[in-house]
Amino acid sequence: MAQNISVPDIGDFDSVEIIEVLVKVGDQIKKDDPIVTLESDKSSVEVPSPVTGKIIELSVKVGDKVSKGSLLAKVENDSYNADNEKEVNKNNFEIQNKTAEQKNLKQIDEVKVVKKVFAQSSTEDDVDPLETKEWIESLNAVIENDGPVRASYLLNKVVSEAYTAGLVLPDTRTTPYINTIPTELEVKSPGDQNIEKKIRAYIRWNAAAMVVRANKISSELGGHIGTFASAATLYDVGMNHFWRAKNKDFGGDLIYFQGHSAPGMYARAFLEGRLSEKQLNRFRQEVDTGGLSSYPHPWLMPKFWQFPTVSMGLGPIMAIYQARFLKYLINRGLLKDEGRKIWVFLGDGETDEPESLGAISLAAREKLDNLIFVVNCNLQRLDGPVRGNGKIIQELEGSFRGAGWNVIKVIWGSYWDPLLKADKTGLLMKRMNEVVDGEYQAMKAKGGAYVREKFFGKYPELKELVSSMTDNDIWKLNRGGHDPHKVYSAYHAAMQHQGSPTVVIAKTVKGYGMGKSGESINTTHQQKKLDEQDLLYYRDRFSVPLTDEQVKNIEYYKPAEDSEEIKYLKERRKQLGGFIPERSSLATPIKAPPKDIFDSFMKSTGDKEMSTTMALVRMLTSLLRDKNVAPRLVPIIPDEARTFGMEGFFRKIGIYAHEGQKYEPEDSEQLSSYKETKSGQVLEEGITEAGAMSSWIAAATAYTNHDIEMIPVYVFYSMFGFQRIGDFAWAAGDAQARGFLIGATAGRTTLAGEGLQHQDGHSHILASMIPNCVSYDPTFSYEMAVIFREGLRRMHEKNENVFYYITAMNENYPHPEKPEGADEGILKGMYLFKEYKNKGKIKIQLMGSGTILREAIAAAKILSEEYGVDSDIWSVTSFNELRKDGMETERRNLLNPSSKRDKTYIEKCLEKRDGPVIAVTDYVRAFSDQIRPYTEKPFYSLGTDGFGRSDTRKNLRKFFEVDKEHIVAYTLSALAKEQLLGSDSAEKAFKKYNIDKKKAFPTKL
Ligand SMILES: Cc1ncc(C[n+]2csc(CCOP(=O)(O)OP(=O)(O)O)c2C)c(N)n1
Ligand SMILES: [Mg+2]
């Protein structure tokens, strides 16, 4: 049966142009295959076929204008049903997922979590303790007889009744200051605790020895002992029992180590035989190869570290988006679901960083049960207590619970268990609740007698409770994070938890075991030197089998290869699939798309105007037709798709939503309807540049973390890019990210109406500081196409560890055809766009980038026609790339004074060309000034230094003095200064263009 295909609802647009016809008569098409591409003045969008069939008639051609309802084509419906095919694929996929899930469940046996209700002590506000006791006894009876589910039901019912009756309800953000998992429900570690204890002691020792040794060489080298000392058990239990490495059968768990606990990871790798003594001796001496980097830096140790985490706060948020991206890859069918987990270690002080907790609600919303945070609460940060007057553990519990996480508190070690059991009054828990962190810290610094007095001494009953214990016994009452049993049990519960992310909040002691040299004292963090006595104490404290002499020489301790410790440690890692951390990539490159995909961008657009943003979006639409590239593209947008004309992607490739779409969108009839789907490709991040950048980093490093090469394209307001998330971009460089950052609405005067906080005139300078960031400020669509294609080739086909920053503009203008042979120059940073050779007497070298190149082109015409000044017009696509070439060439020349001088690329371009350089951009002058030394010509730059403001483009360009009139007048003045022209021409021009010489420099306005 023949069926008409016509233009669906395209929103507010009428009479839009057809820029591509993607089918011809006779083609067999499937439902959703694109028929034509439409382009309004802001965006382009493909019209998909609503049916499967054969095109029997085409009613439109390129250039036609159409509106809603216009006939596009006629299709003969046939029996082929593409939807069936999709369904089958989907089913396969679901089966695959199910088996993975089952496998997971098998791996982890079930434990039911029951919470015992503790009797509370009688307090002044309890007017009838007997009644209270009865209530609690009833509850315990229900738990015992009918189980926890029934007990929870009853409680919820009571609470809901109370709510309707208008009662003040209890604050349920926090639970009592005790371990979340009751002793009777703890899962015991299958490990050999004696051997594990020894291994842990050696790792502790070697980590400290490495730092102390480095500081014997020079105190400049620094390092940290106290942090790892507090976290050793938290890491060791994970390494021995939980963290599965990447190997040919499994993708591997991903572990974000706390940055300054790096010494502990090196110390373990030493025992594993992965690092040599020589390497340990080169801790923080990285200039000559073979040293160990201060912190986790993949750039410096590319086969070891996976995640840069030392800029605090970035690790946690990057990990959250990593966990989400892993689910994205699984839901899109690009990865198998193997039950991989992402573990993130952070300090309690680190949680002060807005980035650390800023995305925890996203983690719960996305049901990231593949994510486990471990917060090491040693109660101290660098200067002193994290929450001296409060309780960081309770505060964090409240935040995480509020956000919807599964919270597991590991506060008290096993030595406390009998005391808690023996305390029938509930006073012990009350005391635990009331002591603040500042006191807890002091207690660990001051010894058993002090604890007896200050902690237990407050209530006679508690003093009595510990009366038979010595001060030493009291001192040994340990904290949960140092108890391998409690930690094991918490990790086990975290591993099997489903439906939400888990945070393990562990209480520890900073500088654990360091004694007076640094245990729980305010200066612990910076302790990097231990004297002989301190070292002897440390050895004794952990029973490290070294002689006094060996301790004095700060020798490392490594048992023989056939010792039970080394055999055990290696066997554990073998069971868990290999070593961690380790960085590798098995990803296969993506073949760059053929040139013809970009062909249409090389041609002139005639009178048709568009912005480079539109050109880019069209390019991405074309790329979605390339079978190699299409599935790997990850468009990332923080709530600005409509700003950039990208809303067409919503329906075309779907917005990723792990729960699909539970509602019919308001605009469901429209072509660019808001379509959320489980297999969606677009990451619509909402208003979070930090989150969007974290997603980008996850995708840009998927080649190593998931062994799949992805092509993330993150499009953002350029002002809210590097300036806002500069530290993430730096971390991306460290992590060797590969992908595109697109700074849209770029330029201080190009984005006109938005004002001071929106107008970017410096992002390129910020981008230029990142060594492996390649950046461009193209003007024309063919430049954008050449740059983008090369980016795909370099990063994703050739696997170069660079990433691209490209600015795109929102100004519409016609685009010329690509000049013959321009490709090389476009990529190197400049090429000759046009030459004026009218009079040939006075010549200038006119350079411009971005939309301001167009002002330069217009100025050149005026200069030539009205003032007889000829110009060579250079489109400078990248001042940043030119400077890199300039610096490198100059250095090479300086190093080789007796050899023939190499020429910089700029010199090669300019060597046979006369006249001063006038460089003009929509950025601060420092941007174009970068190449000043290499032009070897008088150099004048015009730019947009100063705060932006709202106005029309024309007025803004006048204000910042980068419009064609200013370019003409300043050029004439520069020529007068160079004595190539009299000053009268310039004076006349200033007058003619009403240029106010008294106006202050824009930075002062
Ligand atoms: C963004 C950032 N700011 C400051 C620092 C410097 N710094 C390193 S560790 C540290 C204290 C860390 O305290 P906490 O998070 O509690 O970790 P702990 O060492 O106690 O485990 C500080 C301020 C940093 N690394 N990153
Ligand atoms: Mg801390």
Side-chain angles (χ1 to χ4, degrees), residues 892-921:
R892 201 164 50 241
N893 288 334
L894 286 171
L895 284 169
N896 298 290
S898 39
S899 313
K900 189 164 169 283
R901 247 185 106 256
D902 280 351
K903 286 180 184 147
T904 64
Y905 177 69
I906 305 167
E907 257 181 291
K908 284 183 203 158
C909 290
L910 297 181
E911 61 187 347
K912 294 199 180 88
R913 297 181 181 269
D914 299 325
V917 176
I918 314 288
V920 49
T921 74

mmCIF file of all heavy atoms in Angstrom, residues 892-921:
data_model
loop_
_atom_site.group_PDB
_atom_site.id
_atom_site.type_symbol
_atom_site.label_atom_id
_atom_site.label_comp_id
_atom_site.label_asym_id
_atom_site.label_seq_id
_atom_site.Cartn_x
_atom_site.Cartn_y
_atom_site.Cartn_z
ATOM 1 N N ARG A 892 64.973 24.447 19.579
ATOM 2 C CA ARG A 892 65.856 23.596 18.769
ATOM 3 C C ARG A 892 67.004 24.419 18.199
ATOM 4 O O ARG A 892 68.161 24.011 18.221
ATOM 5 C CB ARG A 892 65.023 22.956 17.651
ATOM 6 C CG ARG A 892 65.629 21.719 17.068
ATOM 7 C CD ARG A 892 64.630 20.897 16.262
ATOM 8 N NE ARG A 892 63.880 21.668 15.289
ATOM 9 C CZ ARG A 892 62.548 21.802 15.306
ATOM 10 N NH1 ARG A 892 61.849 21.217 16.246
ATOM 11 N NH2 ARG A 892 61.937 22.529 14.393
ATOM 12 N N ASN A 893 66.688 25.620 17.747
ATOM 13 C CA ASN A 893 67.727 26.482 17.176
ATOM 14 C C ASN A 893 68.741 26.902 18.233
ATOM 15 O O ASN A 893 69.945 26.942 17.985
ATOM 16 C CB ASN A 893 67.103 27.712 16.526
ATOM 17 C CG ASN A 893 66.380 27.348 15.239
ATOM 18 O OD1 ASN A 893 66.723 26.354 14.591
ATOM 19 N ND2 ASN A 893 65.366 28.119 14.876
ATOM 20 N N LEU A 894 68.238 27.201 19.425
ATOM 21 C CA LEU A 894 69.154 27.621 20.495
ATOM 22 C C LEU A 894 70.063 26.477 20.906
ATOM 23 O O LEU A 894 71.227 26.677 21.251
ATOM 24 C CB LEU A 894 68.355 28.109 21.711
ATOM 25 C CG LEU A 894 67.691 29.478 21.544
ATOM 26 C CD1 LEU A 894 66.751 29.766 22.708
ATOM 27 C CD2 LEU A 894 68.731 30.586 21.415
ATOM 28 N N LEU A 895 69.518 25.267 20.850
ATOM 29 C CA LEU A 895 70.327 24.108 21.228
ATOM 30 C C LEU A 895 71.368 23.758 20.156
ATOM 31 O O LEU A 895 72.319 23.042 20.421
ATOM 32 C CB LEU A 895 69.419 22.891 21.457
ATOM 33 C CG LEU A 895 68.637 22.881 22.758
ATOM 34 C CD1 LEU A 895 67.590 21.772 22.733
ATOM 35 C CD2 LEU A 895 69.567 22.705 23.959
ATOM 36 N N ASN A 896 71.132 24.227 18.951
ATOM 37 C CA ASN A 896 72.028 23.866 17.840
ATOM 38 C C ASN A 896 72.576 25.110 17.151
ATOM 39 O O ASN A 896 72.293 25.357 15.969
ATOM 40 C CB ASN A 896 71.277 23.000 16.823
ATOM 41 C CG ASN A 896 70.819 21.703 17.453
ATOM 42 O OD1 ASN A 896 71.627 20.832 17.764
ATOM 43 N ND2 ASN A 896 69.524 21.605 17.699
ATOM 44 N N PRO A 897 73.373 25.881 17.900
ATOM 45 C CA PRO A 897 73.821 27.161 17.321
ATOM 46 C C PRO A 897 74.690 26.977 16.086
ATOM 47 O O PRO A 897 74.783 27.873 15.250
ATOM 48 C CB PRO A 897 74.594 27.812 18.473
ATOM 49 C CG PRO A 897 74.926 26.717 19.415
ATOM 50 C CD PRO A 897 73.889 25.665 19.245
ATOM 51 N N SER A 898 75.338 25.813 15.949
ATOM 52 C CA SER A 898 76.223 25.654 14.790
ATOM 53 C C SER A 898 75.517 25.027 13.588
ATOM 54 O O SER A 898 76.121 24.844 12.546
ATOM 55 C CB SER A 898 77.447 24.834 15.190
ATOM 56 O OG SER A 898 77.063 23.810 16.055
ATOM 57 N N SER A 899 74.241 24.688 13.740
ATOM 58 C CA SER A 899 73.527 24.114 12.581
ATOM 59 C C SER A 899 72.706 25.189 11.887
ATOM 60 O O SER A 899 72.492 26.274 12.434
ATOM 61 C CB SER A 899 72.566 23.024 13.023
ATOM 62 O OG SER A 899 73.190 22.157 13.887
ATOM 63 N N LYS A 900 72.237 24.822 10.719
ATOM 64 C CA LYS A 900 71.372 25.744 9.987
ATOM 65 C C LYS A 900 70.076 25.934 10.773
ATOM 66 O O LYS A 900 69.510 24.982 11.304
ATOM 67 C CB LYS A 900 71.067 25.129 8.622
ATOM 68 C CG LYS A 900 70.368 26.057 7.691
ATOM 69 C CD LYS A 900 70.455 25.529 6.246
ATOM 70 C CE LYS A 900 69.545 26.306 5.325
ATOM 71 N NZ LYS A 900 68.144 25.947 5.439
ATOM 72 N N ARG A 901 69.648 27.188 10.870
ATOM 73 C CA ARG A 901 68.445 27.512 11.655
ATOM 74 C C ARG A 901 67.194 26.897 11.032
ATOM 75 O O ARG A 901 66.991 27.010 9.826
ATOM 76 C CB ARG A 901 68.273 29.031 11.641
ATOM 77 C CG ARG A 901 68.452 29.704 12.950
ATOM 78 C CD ARG A 901 68.124 31.182 12.808
ATOM 79 N NE ARG A 901 66.833 31.489 13.425
ATOM 80 C CZ ARG A 901 65.716 31.712 12.761
ATOM 81 N NH1 ARG A 901 65.702 31.657 11.457
ATOM 82 N NH2 ARG A 901 64.599 31.986 13.402
ATOM 83 N N ASP A 902 66.363 26.300 11.850
ATOM 84 C CA ASP A 902 65.051 25.872 11.350
ATOM 85 C C ASP A 902 64.126 27.068 11.343
ATOM 86 O O ASP A 902 64.262 27.965 12.177
ATOM 87 C CB ASP A 902 64.437 24.828 12.290
ATOM 88 C CG ASP A 902 65.009 23.448 12.053
ATOM 89 O OD1 ASP A 902 65.734 23.286 11.058
ATOM 90 O OD2 ASP A 902 64.725 22.556 12.878
ATOM 91 N N LYS A 903 63.180 27.041 10.435
ATOM 92 C CA LYS A 903 62.199 28.136 10.421
ATOM 93 C C LYS A 903 60.930 27.704 11.133
ATOM 94 O O LYS A 903 60.497 26.562 10.990
ATOM 95 C CB LYS A 903 61.857 28.495 8.980
ATOM 96 C CG LYS A 903 62.983 29.245 8.313
ATOM 97 C CD LYS A 903 62.653 29.593 6.891
ATOM 98 C CE LYS A 903 63.859 30.251 6.256
ATOM 99 N NZ LYS A 903 63.978 29.962 4.857
ATOM 100 N N THR A 904 60.344 28.634 11.846
ATOM 101 C CA THR A 904 59.043 28.328 12.436
ATOM 102 C C THR A 904 58.027 28.308 11.300
ATOM 103 O O THR A 904 58.268 28.874 10.219
ATOM 104 C CB THR A 904 58.608 29.394 13.460
ATOM 105 O OG1 THR A 904 58.434 30.623 12.761
ATOM 106 C CG2 THR A 904 59.622 29.573 14.566
ATOM 107 N N TYR A 905 56.879 27.720 11.576
ATOM 108 C CA TYR A 905 55.859 27.691 10.527
ATOM 109 C C TYR A 905 55.430 29.123 10.189
ATOM 110 O O TYR A 905 55.205 29.455 9.018
ATOM 111 C CB TYR A 905 54.658 26.851 10.984
ATOM 112 C CG TYR A 905 53.540 26.849 9.982
ATOM 113 C CD1 TYR A 905 53.693 26.207 8.753
ATOM 114 C CD2 TYR A 905 52.349 27.528 10.231
ATOM 115 C CE1 TYR A 905 52.683 26.234 7.804
ATOM 116 C CE2 TYR A 905 51.326 27.560 9.296
ATOM 117 C CZ TYR A 905 51.503 26.903 8.076
ATOM 118 O OH TYR A 905 50.505 26.944 7.140
ATOM 119 N N ILE A 906 55.363 29.969 11.206
ATOM 120 C CA ILE A 906 54.957 31.365 10.959
ATOM 121 C C ILE A 906 55.967 32.043 10.025
ATOM 122 O O ILE A 906 55.596 32.728 9.073
ATOM 123 C CB ILE A 906 54.887 32.157 12.293
ATOM 124 C CG1 ILE A 906 53.970 31.445 13.273
ATOM 125 C CG2 ILE A 906 54.468 33.597 12.069
ATOM 126 C CD1 ILE A 906 54.066 31.933 14.690
ATOM 127 N N GLU A 907 57.240 31.824 10.312
ATOM 128 C CA GLU A 907 58.277 32.426 9.458
ATOM 129 C C GLU A 907 58.139 31.961 8.018
ATOM 130 O O GLU A 907 58.247 32.750 7.085
ATOM 131 C CB GLU A 907 59.648 31.952 9.949
ATOM 132 C CG GLU A 907 60.424 32.964 10.750
ATOM 133 C CD GLU A 907 61.758 32.351 11.140
ATOM 134 O OE1 GLU A 907 61.733 31.424 11.977
ATOM 135 O OE2 GLU A 907 62.781 32.783 10.585
ATOM 136 N N LYS A 908 57.866 30.668 7.880
ATOM 137 C CA LYS A 908 57.724 30.122 6.516
ATOM 138 C C LYS A 908 56.562 30.815 5.803
ATOM 139 O O LYS A 908 56.639 31.086 4.613
ATOM 140 C CB LYS A 908 57.479 28.611 6.569
ATOM 141 C CG LYS A 908 58.726 27.821 6.871
ATOM 142 C CD LYS A 908 58.397 26.323 6.817
ATOM 143 C CE LYS A 908 59.403 25.534 7.637
ATOM 144 N NZ LYS A 908 58.899 24.242 8.058
ATOM 145 N N CYS A 909 55.511 31.092 6.541
ATOM 146 C CA CYS A 909 54.357 31.756 5.924
ATOM 147 C C CYS A 909 54.696 33.201 5.552
ATOM 148 O O CYS A 909 54.302 33.693 4.506
ATOM 149 C CB CYS A 909 53.165 31.774 6.878
ATOM 150 S SG CYS A 909 52.428 30.169 7.162
ATOM 151 N N LEU A 910 55.431 33.870 6.428
ATOM 152 C CA LEU A 910 55.583 35.317 6.280
ATOM 153 C C LEU A 910 56.880 35.749 5.612
ATOM 154 O O LEU A 910 57.062 36.941 5.322
ATOM 155 C CB LEU A 910 55.511 35.998 7.661
ATOM 156 C CG LEU A 910 54.193 35.867 8.431
ATOM 157 C CD1 LEU A 910 54.274 36.619 9.752
ATOM 158 C CD2 LEU A 910 53.018 36.383 7.611
ATOM 159 N N GLU A 911 57.802 34.828 5.349
ATOM 160 C CA GLU A 911 59.151 35.265 4.985
ATOM 161 C C GLU A 911 59.204 36.128 3.724
ATOM 162 O O GLU A 911 60.023 37.026 3.622
ATOM 163 C CB GLU A 911 60.108 34.075 4.890
ATOM 164 C CG GLU A 911 59.751 33.042 3.860
ATOM 165 C CD GLU A 911 60.666 31.820 3.957
ATOM 166 O OE1 GLU A 911 61.699 31.894 4.642
ATOM 167 O OE2 GLU A 911 60.330 30.791 3.344
ATOM 168 N N LYS A 912 58.336 35.895 2.794
ATOM 169 C CA LYS A 912 58.430 36.688 1.566
ATOM 170 C C LYS A 912 57.361 37.755 1.541
ATOM 171 O O LYS A 912 57.010 38.277 0.489
ATOM 172 C CB LYS A 912 58.308 35.767 0.358
ATOM 173 C CG LYS A 912 59.496 34.817 0.253
ATOM 174 C CD LYS A 912 59.640 34.219 -1.138
ATOM 175 C CE LYS A 912 60.831 33.296 -1.199
ATOM 176 N NZ LYS A 912 60.526 31.915 -0.818
ATOM 177 N N ARG A 913 56.843 38.082 2.689
ATOM 178 C CA ARG A 913 55.727 39.023 2.719
ATOM 179 C C ARG A 913 56.068 40.223 3.576
ATOM 180 O O ARG A 913 56.664 40.092 4.630
ATOM 181 C CB ARG A 913 54.477 38.320 3.238
ATOM 182 C CG ARG A 913 54.088 37.210 2.280
ATOM 183 C CD ARG A 913 52.884 36.466 2.646
ATOM 184 N NE ARG A 913 52.665 35.419 1.650
ATOM 185 C CZ ARG A 913 51.922 35.573 0.556
ATOM 186 N NH1 ARG A 913 51.317 36.710 0.306
ATOM 187 N NH2 ARG A 913 51.791 34.577 -0.297
ATOM 188 N N ASP A 914 55.661 41.392 3.060
ATOM 189 C CA ASP A 914 56.083 42.646 3.699
ATOM 190 C C ASP A 914 54.999 43.224 4.589
ATOM 191 O O ASP A 914 53.830 42.889 4.469
ATOM 192 C CB ASP A 914 56.419 43.692 2.618
ATOM 193 C CG ASP A 914 57.551 43.202 1.757
ATOM 194 O OD1 ASP A 914 58.455 42.527 2.292
ATOM 195 O OD2 ASP A 914 57.517 43.469 0.522
ATOM 196 N N GLY A 915 55.463 44.176 5.383
ATOM 197 C CA GLY A 915 54.544 44.986 6.168
ATOM 198 C C GLY A 915 54.365 44.483 7.579
ATOM 199 O O GLY A 915 54.627 43.317 7.864
ATOM 200 N N PRO A 916 53.908 45.377 8.433
ATOM 201 C CA PRO A 916 53.688 44.996 9.824
ATOM 202 C C PRO A 916 52.507 44.034 9.949
ATOM 203 O O PRO A 916 51.668 43.957 9.057
ATOM 204 C CB PRO A 916 53.370 46.327 10.508
ATOM 205 C CG PRO A 916 52.858 47.197 9.424
ATOM 206 C CD PRO A 916 53.539 46.788 8.155
ATOM 207 N N VAL A 917 52.476 43.349 11.084
ATOM 208 C CA VAL A 917 51.365 42.440 11.349
ATOM 209 C C VAL A 917 50.302 43.164 12.175
ATOM 210 O O VAL A 917 50.625 43.828 13.160
ATOM 211 C CB VAL A 917 51.846 41.210 12.153
ATOM 212 C CG1 VAL A 917 50.664 40.308 12.520
ATOM 213 C CG2 VAL A 917 52.906 40.440 11.392
ATOM 214 N N ILE A 918 49.072 43.049 11.729
ATOM 215 C CA ILE A 918 47.951 43.514 12.550
ATOM 216 C C ILE A 918 47.138 42.262 12.854
ATOM 217 O O ILE A 918 46.628 41.609 11.938
ATOM 218 C CB ILE A 918 47.031 44.502 11.783
ATOM 219 C CG1 ILE A 918 47.823 45.566 11.028
ATOM 220 C CG2 ILE A 918 45.975 45.106 12.708
ATOM 221 C CD1 ILE A 918 48.476 46.606 11.881
ATOM 222 N N ALA A 919 47.071 41.907 14.134
ATOM 223 C CA ALA A 919 46.345 40.674 14.501
ATOM 224 C C ALA A 919 45.121 41.050 15.316
ATOM 225 O O ALA A 919 45.222 41.836 16.256
ATOM 226 C CB ALA A 919 47.244 39.762 15.320
ATOM 227 N N VAL A 920 43.989 40.484 14.943
ATOM 228 C CA VAL A 920 42.768 40.866 15.643
ATOM 229 C C VAL A 920 41.880 39.648 15.904
ATOM 230 O O VAL A 920 41.666 38.815 15.020
ATOM 231 C CB VAL A 920 42.030 41.999 14.876
ATOM 232 C CG1 VAL A 920 41.892 41.680 13.409
ATOM 233 C CG2 VAL A 920 40.691 42.308 15.466
ATOM 234 N N THR A 921 41.430 39.553 17.144
ATOM 235 C CA THR A 921 40.594 38.405 17.528
ATOM 236 C C THR A 921 39.494 38.867 18.478
ATOM 237 O O THR A 921 39.481 40.016 18.913
ATOM 238 C CB THR A 921 41.410 37.329 18.296
ATOM 239 O OG1 THR A 921 41.670 37.811 19.614
ATOM 240 C CG2 THR A 921 42.708 36.989 17.607
#
